[in-house]
Amino acid sequence: MIDKLQIDHLIMNGEVYTGDRASPFIRNGAVGVEGSRIVAVGNTRELTAKYQSRDIIDVGGAIVHPGMIDTHVHATSIVLHGLPVSTDHPVESKVSYADLKVQTDDASTDALVAAAAVALLRRGYTCFMEAGTVFETDAFGAALKRIGMRGMVSAPFAWDDVSTFEKHAPGTITAKLMERAPADKATVLRRLERELTRNSDKDALVTGYVCLYGEGSATDSLTKEASDLAQEAGVLFNQHQGFIPLWEEVETTKHGLSGVERLHRLGALHEGTTLSHMNVMSERDAELIVESKPGLTWCPNNALHRAVHPAKPCRFPALIKQGVTVSLGIDTTMYHPLGTSGMVSLLLSAACGERLEDSEPFYMQTANAARNVGLGDRLGTLAPGKRADIVVRAAHDITHTSLEQGGGLLALSSFSLPVDMVMVDGQVIMKDGQLTRVDQGEILQRGLEQRRRVLEKACA
């Protein structure tokens, strides 16, 4: 008789989507977990013959997949949905978005980030990259650690030249914002270095990276030094770029080069760089991206909302075919429901004449996303040695199950498929759709209270 190996968890009888294009689907599959890592992925019969566990999780045919990763989230902004906020030009009936963002403190950031984390977990995300707009970064980290979710954070509003915003969008650069986020290189670099100290713990759930606000708001000097800092620390370098035609035109006029060309000239366009948005890019920009291999975060909801296409070509489908690693971001949910970027990317690509494969958005939110946040060696696929960030969907009815091998259902409808269980780093942090470490109802209540408080402060 063969002695079975003892492991901590054995997920079995699932329809397993691995996130690995070479071996994407295992019917009646199983995943073994020991400590924080996956030790085996395969057929249920094979794994149950080899392993035994005190925690057998029979999912009864439900979908099992690697935790998804959103690579561009403004963590406190995604809970502002429905508030009377103007993102661009303040009007009498709406509060300035810039002034609203600076009203946070430790209590509000903790509550809002926790509420955002719950919303993301309930849609199958186990990690997200905060896009450089949270002031209270320690409160951000504390909220995610308490829940058990993974996240990435950087210095807030890292810039040292806001003249473009002052000239073309003065409502976005208010005195209150500039007081909290001065346009000063030394301040920015000091704040960036502080966030990187989180990485001294190699097992930390919340890690630091280098993020500039971008889109023409950093001098050559800051861009170069920030990119060098990221490379020295072995972390991601990220910034906003190519959001709408106006900003790209202004930046090109200002520097004599497009934003992509300028990054290339400064040595900041490489495989350790991920650029967010890139809705607007020239043929030359696209050539440089294929050549230099940075990652790209596509926020298709914003591109659609801002009506960037077809006036400007949508180059993402062509770049994907040329081997560029593209991931997806929701940006904020003031207009865009969480989890819908996959479906929107398919619709937008079809409207632009180069429809993506149904499964592509699934990979853009798993393996591609892990690579684009600098964690491709740890996350993004269900494979032995990877961190055990695993999602089990709830099989409430037949529309919530799938035998289609590419992951098309997850790509198109992941936002509507209920989540039953979430494991992060080998720890079950959600079971039966409820968080295991904290009171989910209390988190929502605190989030609502702090959201009202932030709005009241902005209106005072």
Side-chain angles (χ1 to χ4, degrees):
M1 182 176 180
I2 300 174
D3 290 336
K4 294 184 179 182
L5 300 174
Q6 181 72 40
I7 56 177
D8 292 329
H9 310 279
L10 181 60
I11 301 168
M12 57 185 286
N13 294 324
E15 303 304 327
V16 177
Y17 292 89
T18 66
D20 181 352
R21 294 175 192 265
S23 180
F25 178 74
I26 305 171
R27 182 166 296 155
N28 193 26
V31 182
V33 175
E34 174 68 14
S36 63
R37 298 181 185 274
I38 296 168
V39 293
V41 181
N43 179 271
T44 290
R45 183 171 58 186
E46 294 171 354
L47 264 63
T48 53
K50 183 175 181 180
Y51 297 99
Q52 62 182 1
S53 174
R54 289 179 294 275
D55 186 26
I56 300 288
I57 305 169
D58 188 337
V59 301
I63 292 172
V64 180
H65 65 85
M68 296 195 301
I69 303 168
D70 192 302
T71 58
H72 192 79
V73 175
H74 295 283
T76 51
S77 298
I78 69 170
V79 296
L80 301 180
H81 182 77
L83 293 185
V85 176
S86 171
T87 56
D88 295 320
H89 305 290
V91 294
E92 280 189 25
S93 62
K94 293 187 176 182
V95 178
S96 162
Y97 187 37
D99 279 343
L100 188 68
K101 289 186 287 189
V102 299
Q103 300 302 330
T104 58
D105 54 23
D106 283 344
S108 57
T109 291
D110 184 289
L112 297 178
V113 170
V118 172
L120 285 158
L121 286 166
R122 293 187 65 196
R123 288 160 179 82
Y125 295 90
T126 56
C127 177
F128 69 96
M129 188 168 77
E130 205 294 317
T133 50
V134 164
F135 287 102
E136 296 81 16
T137 55
D138 287 344
F140 171 94
L144 292 189
K145 290 175 186 176
R146 189 165 65 254
I147 290 170
M149 188 179 185
R150 203 180 295 277
M152 299 175 63
V153 68
S154 190
F157 297 93
W159 50 28
D160 66 341
D161 178 7
V162 295
S163 58
T164 294
F165 294 104
E166 289 174 333
K167 182 177 180 179
H168 296 279
T172 66
I173 300 294
T174 64
K176 292 178 181 178
L177 177 57
M178 297 313 301
E179 183 179 337
R180 295 201 72 179
D184 175 71
K185 184 178 78 169
T187 299
V188 168
L189 291 172
R190 184 174 66 252
R191 288 177 171 180
L192 289 171
E193 289 170 352
R194 179 186 183 277
E195 298 309 318
L196 296 183
T197 62
R198 301 178 189 278
N199 301 345
S200 59
D201 178 0
K202 299 301 182 184
D203 295 323
L205 288 177
V206 179
T207 56
Y209 74 105
V210 173
C211 179
L212 296 184
Y213 196 79
E215 203 73 86
S217 66
T219 61
D220 283 1
S221 178
L222 175 57
T223 302
K224 174 66 174 166
E225 291 188 47
S227 175
D228 289 348
L229 174 63
Q231 287 189 286
E232 291 166 9
V235 300
L236 177 73
F237 172 71
N238 172 259
Q239 68 175 39
H240 296 77
Q241 192 64 51
F243 181 45
I244 55 175
L246 172 63
W247 298 124
E248 188 61 22
E249 290 164 9
V250 168
E251 185 169 11
T252 301
T253 299
K254 183 175 182 177
H255 296 285
L257 295 168
S258 73
V260 170
E261 290 176 308
R262 181 170 167 248
L263 288 169
H264 183 260
R265 176 175 63 81
L266 295 171
L269 193 72
H270 47 72
E271 292 186 48
T273 297
T274 294
L275 301 179
S276 298
H277 294 302
M278 291 305 299
N279 298 318
V280 182
M281 60 179 115
S282 67
E283 287 188 19
R284 177 55 180 157
D285 291 342
E287 290 171 359
L288 286 173
I289 287 165
V290 172
E291 173 188 314
S292 302
K293 298 182 173 60
L296 300 182
T297 290
W298 186 13
C299 301
N301 302 63
N302 257 333
L304 196 63
H305 178 75
R306 298 280 180 165
V308 177
H309 316 301
K312 296 291 182 179
C314 179
R315 300 187 187 275
F316 283 101
L319 290 173
I320 289 169
K321 290 179 181 177
Q322 293 177 81
V324 175
T325 305
V326 177
S327 55
L328 292 175
I330 196 63
D331 199 5
T332 80
T333 57
M334 292 173 68
Y335 307 111
H336 318 306
L338 277 175
T340 58
S341 55
M343 179 174 65
V344 175
S345 72
L346 291 178
L347 295 175
L348 189 54
S349 67
C352 294
E354 293 187 78
R355 191 186 188 283
L356 298 170
E357 294 291 329
D358 281 354
S359 60
E360 190 62 36
F362 173 59
Y363 296 111
M364 288 196 282
Q365 295 175 97
T366 52
N368 288 17
R371 182 271 187 199
N372 278 359
V373 298
L375 299 175
D377 60 332
R378 295 182 237 176
L379 306 175
T381 61
L382 299 181
K386 290 288 186 78
R387 297 287 179 155
D389 288 15
I390 305 169
V391 173
V392 178
R393 301 284 176 161
H396 290 331
D397 61 55
I398 201 166
T399 69
H400 297 158
T401 66
S402 179
L403 294 179
E404 182 271 323
Q405 298 192 19
L409 180 65
L410 286 168
L412 282 161
S413 306
S414 65
F415 65 97
S416 65
L417 299 176
V419 170
D420 180 70
M421 189 195 83
V422 176
M423 182 179 290
V424 174
D425 231 23
Q427 300 295 312
V428 176
I429 66 168
M430 179 177 282
K431 188 175 183 180
D432 299 325
Q434 294 293 313
L435 297 179
T436 61
R437 297 184 174 190
V438 292
D439 187 309
Q440 205 157 302
E442 182 180 333
I443 284 179
L444 176 59
Q445 189 59 40
R446 286 183 60 237
L448 292 171
E449 290 171 357
Q450 289 296 334
R451 188 171 72 167
R452 285 192 291 268
R453 175 173 166 257
V454 167
L455 181 61
E456 288 169 0
K457 288 172 66 178
C459 293

